[in-house]
Amino acid sequence: MGIETTRILDEIDKHTARAREGGPEKIRESLAAIRALCDLLLEDGSQAPKKPRAMPLAMAETVNRPQSVPSATRLQEEGANGDSLFEF
């Protein structure tokens, strides 16, 4: 399910017109957009439609596994005057 080539070319035309009307900043933004659209066209034309990439099984297991938090044990130090990190 790709984007129609004519639609992408129309977008390139719009960005070309904006680049001609604008200052250096607008030209730069329009050229970046044109580059991205050209890359999209070239990629789409040279390859079959891409299927979504599946995560490797090992990575999927680590993503879905809840992480455990070790229980905190309080240190009792001589001269400490409270539970706060900022109390010395």
Side-chain angles (χ1 to χ4, degrees), residues 3-44:
I3 301 171
E4 291 183 25
T5 303
T6 54
R7 184 167 179 193
I8 295 175
L9 292 173
D10 289 341
E11 286 296 315
I12 290 173
D13 288 340
K14 287 178 190 177
H15 285 287
T16 303
R18 288 181 192 157
R20 287 188 178 132
E21 295 170 0
E25 179 86 17
K26 282 285 187 188
I27 291 172
R28 193 161 182 78
E29 289 174 10
S30 294
L31 290 175
I34 290 169
R35 178 188 290 168
L37 291 167
C38 289
D39 289 344
L40 181 65
L41 274 176
L42 292 170
E43 183 180 293
D44 191 39

Side-chain angles (χ1 to χ4, degrees), residues 62-82:
T62 59
V63 171
N64 295 331
R65 184 179 343 134
Q67 296 186 4
S68 62
V69 178
S71 61
T73 56
R74 294 181 187 232
L75 288 175
Q76 298 296 327
E77 295 214 12
E78 191 175 316
N81 61 355

